[in-house]
Amino acid sequence: MPLVPPHVASLTPYVPGKPIEEVEREYGVTDVAKLASNENPLGPSPRALAAIREAAARVNLYPDGASFLLRNALAAKLGVEPREVLVGNGSNELIELLVRTFVLDGEEVLTSAGTFVAYRLAAQAQGRTVVEAPTKARYQYDLEALRKLLSRKTKLVFLANPDNPTGTCFAEQELVPFLDAVPKDTLVVLDEAYLEFVDGPGFQDALALRRRHPNVVVLRTFSKVHGLAGLRLGYAVARPDVVEYVDRVRAPFDVNAVAQAAGVAALEDDEHVARSRALVLAERPRLADGLRALGAAVVPSQGNFVLADFPGRPGKELFEALLREGVVIRPLGPYGFPTAQRITVGHPAQNERCLAALARVLGRATA
Ligand SMILES: Cc1ncc(COP(=O)(O)O)c(C=O)c1O
C-alpha cells in the first residue's frame, strides 16, 4: 500500500519568497531589500501594533473561536451582516477551506492559467481536478475562455482581480456576462487581495456584485495594504449558508487572538491604509519606468508589484545574481513565465537599490 495518495505524491509545494534571514546567512549580505512577497514596506498599521502588544499579554487563553469582534467590525466596515463574514488564517486558508468544503470528487475547480498558484495547489492537495483557461495577450484573464470551460462539473471558480503575478485587472463589463453564465450552484471566488492598489478605469469591486450574483464569494486579506502578513489574517464575504458550511469544516481556533485584535485595530486605521496606497501609486510607475529603461517588458500593474520580463535572461539566474546584491525578487518560472520576475513596489530607497542592482547585473546604465 503506498504511504500517501498519488495526488499528494505528485504535489509540487508552494515556493515562498526567500526570507531575509536566509539570504543574509547564505549570501553573507546585510540590509537585505525583500521585494519578493508583495508585503507592505511601511510595516504594520501603528494602531494594529498597539493592539498586538495588548493582546500578547493574554495569549495564555484560547482565542474567540467565532472571531466575534473581528467579524462584527468587518461587517460594519463593509456594510454586510456578520453572518456573511468568514475569517481565516490568511486568505490562503480560506482558499483551502472553500475547496475542502464544497468540491466533491469528480467536480472541478476552474481558474486561469498563470494565476496565483494557491488555487491549483489547494485543489490538487484535495485530489480535485483543476481546469485552467488560457489567457489572452499572455498576461490577461480571458473571461470568455473561462465561460466556455464552465460545465456541470464546475463547483468553484477562482478569479484574482487584480491578478497575481501579472497585476492585470478585468473590467465589470467582462465579468458580468461571465457571472450571468455561471450555474447557481457554482461558487465564484473573486480574490481582491490587491483591491486598494487599483487606480485604473472599469474596475468594479465584487461586494457590489453580490446582490445580483449571490454565488459570489469576495476574498480579501490583511497581508497587503494593512501590513499584517506575518500574523496570517484574511476574510471572505459570502452567503450565510456558505459561511456556515465552511465554519463546520475549519479547525477550532484557527485565527489566533493576536491576529483578531490586530485586524480590528487595522480596520480603524484609515490613515495607514491611505499612506500605504499612496506609496504604491507614487512608486509603481517610477519602478516600472526604471525597469523599462533597463530593457524589461513591464506589464502595467494594478497591484503593489510589477511583472518585468527580461527576454533572454533565465529567471532563476537573474534572481540569484540579485540575491548576491542583497535584493530579493521573485522569479516566475513556476507561473509559466521563464524570463520574468515579480518585483514588489517598495520604499523609494528599496526601489532605487533594486534598479541599481539590476543595472549592475545586466551590465547597463540606470536611467
Ligand atoms: C491573489 C492573492 N490571493 C491571496 C493571497 C494570500 O494572502 P494571505 O496572506 O491572506 O494568505 C495572496 C498572497 O500573496 C495573493 O496574491
Side-chain angles (χ1 to χ4, degrees):
M1 206 193 294
L3 179 63
V4 290
H7 65 267
V8 175
S10 61
L11 265 185
T12 314
Y14 181 72
V15 185
K18 236 181 181 349
I20 290 176
E21 298 75 13
E22 195 178 313
V23 178
E24 288 178 345
R25 242 185 350 258
E26 285 180 14
Y27 291 82
V29 288
T30 50
D31 187 26
V32 168
K34 186 177 176 217
L35 301 175
S37 303
N38 304 341
E39 292 146 337
N40 188 331
L42 296 181
S45 139
R47 284 193 188 208
L49 261 184
I52 288 166
R53 287 196 190 98
E54 222 178 275
R58 293 189 303 277
V59 292
N60 55 315
L61 303 176
Y62 284 103
D64 171 9
S67 300
F68 178 83
L69 293 177
L70 179 57
R71 283 168 85 171
N72 275 278
L74 279 163
K77 185 95 187 170
L78 303 170
V80 300
E81 298 288 323
R83 64 197 182 107
E84 295 177 293
V85 180
L86 262 175
V87 293
N89 192 258
S91 52
N92 213 107
E93 186 197 34
L94 293 171
I95 293 167
E96 285 172 17
L97 282 171
L98 286 162
V99 175
R100 260 166 60 201
T101 307
F102 295 104
V103 189
L104 296 170
D105 196 14
E107 294 181 334
E108 293 172 355
V109 171
L110 174 64
T111 188
S112 173
T115 191
F116 188 43
V117 287
Y119 311 143
R120 176 158 44 86
L121 290 179
Q124 287 173 341
Q126 295 298 315
R128 299 300 180 247
T129 306
V130 185
V131 176
E132 291 186 343
T135 49
K136 56 182 180 187
R138 198 161 145 80
Y139 299 119
Q140 191 81 41
Y141 271 31
D142 184 343
L143 283 130
E144 182 57 17
L146 278 152
R147 188 186 62 73
K148 288 190 185 136
L149 289 169
L150 286 167
S151 79
R152 287 198 4 253
K153 291 192 199 155
T154 315
K155 187 50 125 352
L156 203 48
V157 183
F158 283 108
L159 307 176
N161 200 27
D163 180 38
N164 171 17
T166 62
T168 59
C169 279
F170 44 84
E172 182 181 13
Q173 72 204 54
E174 295 171 82
L175 178 58
V176 168
F178 173 80
L179 292 177
D180 284 339
V182 173
K184 76 175 187 5
D185 290 328
T186 301
L187 295 175
V188 181
V189 181
L190 285 162
D191 183 345
E192 297 183 332
Y194 301 100
L195 169 83
E196 292 83 359
F197 308 113
V198 174
D199 69 350
F203 178 84
Q204 171 63 61
D205 90 63
L207 272 183
L209 298 168
R210 290 181 57 244
R211 197 157 305 148
R212 260 195 64 202
H213 302 281
N215 50 351
V216 162
V217 176
V218 185
L219 192 62
R220 297 200 182 153
T221 180
F222 283 90
S223 298
K224 309 299 171 186
V225 84
H226 298 291
L228 298 178
L231 280 182
R232 314 303 303 120
L233 186 61
Y235 64 94
V237 181
R239 243 167 38 206
D241 61 323
V242 170
V243 170
E244 205 190 299
Y245 286 126
V246 174
D247 272 335
R248 291 183 198 185
V249 173
R250 71 164 74 246
F253 311 122
D254 54 342
V255 181
N256 72 73
V258 179
Q260 288 183 34
V264 171
L267 281 178
E268 290 165 1
D269 198 344
D270 292 338
E271 196 194 325
H272 185 259
V273 168
R275 280 205 313 136
S276 306
R277 177 170 196 269
L279 174 74
V280 169
L281 297 196
E283 283 297 302
R284 186 168 65 196
R286 279 170 28 94
L287 178 63
D289 286 349
L291 290 164
R292 284 191 190 102
L294 292 172
V298 182
V299 180
S301 173
Q302 295 287 289
N304 63 345
F305 55 87
V306 294
L307 184 155
D309 193 17
F310 297 86
R313 294 277 178 168
K316 199 137 185 293
E317 280 173 30
L318 190 56
F319 159 73
E320 276 168 6
L322 245 68
L323 284 180
R324 286 191 283 277
E325 300 274 334
V327 178
V328 198
I329 57 176
R330 191 69 157 271
L332 294 178
Y335 283 81
F337 305 116
T339 53
Q341 308 284 339
R342 193 192 66 199
I343 305 174
T344 302
V345 179
H347 281 300
Q350 289 175 315
N351 301 332
E352 290 300 333
R353 181 153 161 222
C354 175
L355 291 170
L358 274 167
R360 270 193 300 278
V361 165
L362 296 167
R364 296 179 70 124
T366 37

Short mmCIF file of all heavy atoms in Angstrom, two decimals, residues 90-92 116 119 164 191 193-194 221 223-224 232, ligand 1:
data_model
loop_
_atom_site.label_atom_id
_atom_site.label_comp_id
_atom_site.label_asym_id
_atom_site.label_seq_id
_atom_site.Cartn_x
_atom_site.Cartn_y
_atom_site.Cartn_z
N GLY A 90 -5.08 33.70 7.25
CA GLY A 90 -4.66 34.12 5.91
C GLY A 90 -5.78 33.79 4.95
O GLY A 90 -6.56 32.85 5.18
N SER A 91 -5.89 34.56 3.85
CA SER A 91 -6.92 34.19 2.88
C SER A 91 -6.57 32.86 2.24
O SER A 91 -7.43 32.15 1.72
CB SER A 91 -7.13 35.29 1.83
OG SER A 91 -5.93 35.67 1.25
N ASN A 92 -5.29 32.50 2.33
CA ASN A 92 -4.88 31.20 1.82
C ASN A 92 -5.64 30.04 2.49
O ASN A 92 -6.04 29.08 1.84
CB ASN A 92 -3.38 31.03 2.06
CG ASN A 92 -2.73 30.24 0.98
OD1 ASN A 92 -2.02 30.77 0.14
ND2 ASN A 92 -3.01 28.94 0.93
N PHE A 116 -2.45 33.07 -9.52
CA PHE A 116 -1.97 32.72 -8.18
C PHE A 116 -2.03 31.20 -7.97
O PHE A 116 -3.10 30.59 -8.10
CB PHE A 116 -2.87 33.44 -7.16
CG PHE A 116 -2.42 33.33 -5.74
CD1 PHE A 116 -1.08 33.47 -5.40
CD2 PHE A 116 -3.34 33.10 -4.73
CE1 PHE A 116 -0.67 33.39 -4.08
CE2 PHE A 116 -2.94 33.02 -3.40
CZ PHE A 116 -1.60 33.16 -3.08
N TYR A 119 -4.57 28.49 -5.78
CA TYR A 119 -5.85 27.88 -6.19
C TYR A 119 -5.62 26.44 -6.65
O TYR A 119 -6.31 25.51 -6.26
CB TYR A 119 -6.51 28.68 -7.32
CG TYR A 119 -6.60 30.18 -7.09
CD1 TYR A 119 -6.42 31.09 -8.13
CD2 TYR A 119 -6.86 30.69 -5.81
CE1 TYR A 119 -6.50 32.46 -7.92
CE2 TYR A 119 -6.93 32.07 -5.60
CZ TYR A 119 -6.75 32.93 -6.65
OH TYR A 119 -6.82 34.29 -6.44
N ASN A 164 -2.46 38.20 -9.45
CA ASN A 164 -1.08 37.98 -9.04
C ASN A 164 -0.61 36.78 -9.85
O ASN A 164 -1.30 35.75 -9.81
CB ASN A 164 -1.03 37.67 -7.53
CG ASN A 164 0.34 37.21 -7.08
OD1 ASN A 164 1.32 37.40 -7.76
ND2 ASN A 164 0.37 36.60 -5.90
N ASP A 191 -11.06 37.10 -5.78
CA ASP A 191 -9.98 37.34 -4.82
C ASP A 191 -9.44 38.75 -5.05
O ASP A 191 -8.81 39.03 -6.07
CB ASP A 191 -8.90 36.27 -5.06
CG ASP A 191 -7.74 36.37 -4.09
OD1 ASP A 191 -7.61 37.40 -3.40
OD2 ASP A 191 -6.96 35.40 -4.02
N ALA A 193 -7.19 40.55 -3.15
CA ALA A 193 -6.07 40.80 -2.22
C ALA A 193 -5.42 42.17 -2.46
O ALA A 193 -4.89 42.77 -1.54
CB ALA A 193 -5.03 39.69 -2.37
N TYR A 194 -5.49 42.65 -3.71
CA TYR A 194 -4.77 43.89 -4.07
C TYR A 194 -5.72 45.04 -4.40
O TYR A 194 -5.31 46.03 -5.01
CB TYR A 194 -3.83 43.61 -5.26
CG TYR A 194 -2.84 42.52 -4.92
CD1 TYR A 194 -3.03 41.21 -5.35
CD2 TYR A 194 -1.74 42.79 -4.12
CE1 TYR A 194 -2.14 40.20 -5.00
CE2 TYR A 194 -0.85 41.79 -3.75
CZ TYR A 194 -1.05 40.50 -4.20
OH TYR A 194 -0.18 39.50 -3.84
N THR A 221 -7.63 40.22 2.17
CA THR A 221 -6.57 39.87 3.12
C THR A 221 -6.09 41.09 3.90
O THR A 221 -6.21 42.23 3.42
CB THR A 221 -5.38 39.25 2.35
OG1 THR A 221 -4.35 38.92 3.29
CG2 THR A 221 -4.79 40.20 1.32
N SER A 223 -2.92 41.05 4.65
CA SER A 223 -1.47 40.89 4.44
C SER A 223 -0.85 42.00 3.61
O SER A 223 0.36 42.15 3.61
CB SER A 223 -1.19 39.57 3.72
OG SER A 223 -1.61 38.48 4.49
N LYS A 224 -1.64 42.73 2.86
CA LYS A 224 -1.06 43.66 1.88
C LYS A 224 -1.17 45.10 2.39
O LYS A 224 -0.27 45.57 3.05
CB LYS A 224 -1.75 43.47 0.52
CG LYS A 224 -1.79 42.00 0.04
CD LYS A 224 -0.42 41.40 -0.15
CE LYS A 224 -0.48 39.91 -0.41
NZ LYS A 224 0.83 39.29 -0.47
N ARG A 232 -1.03 36.32 9.59
CA ARG A 232 -1.91 35.45 8.84
C ARG A 232 -3.38 35.77 9.13
O ARG A 232 -3.99 35.21 10.05
CB ARG A 232 -1.62 33.95 9.13
CG ARG A 232 -0.18 33.54 9.12
CD ARG A 232 0.51 33.86 7.78
NE ARG A 232 -0.16 33.22 6.67
CZ ARG A 232 -0.69 33.91 5.64
NH1 ARG A 232 -0.62 35.23 5.58
NH2 ARG A 232 -1.27 33.27 4.66
C1 LIG B 1 -4.12 36.92 -5.17
C2 LIG B 1 -3.75 36.51 -3.78
N1 LIG B 1 -4.67 35.94 -3.02
C3 LIG B 1 -4.40 35.54 -1.77
C4 LIG B 1 -3.14 35.70 -1.23
C5 LIG B 1 -2.85 35.13 0.12
O1 LIG B 1 -2.86 36.08 1.09
P1 LIG B 1 -2.84 35.69 2.63
O2 LIG B 1 -1.56 36.25 3.13
O3 LIG B 1 -4.05 36.37 3.18
O4 LIG B 1 -2.92 34.20 2.76
C6 LIG B 1 -2.13 36.29 -1.98
C7 LIG B 1 -0.79 36.43 -1.42
O5 LIG B 1 0.15 36.85 -2.00
C8 LIG B 1 -2.45 36.69 -3.30
O6 LIG B 1 -1.51 37.22 -4.08
#
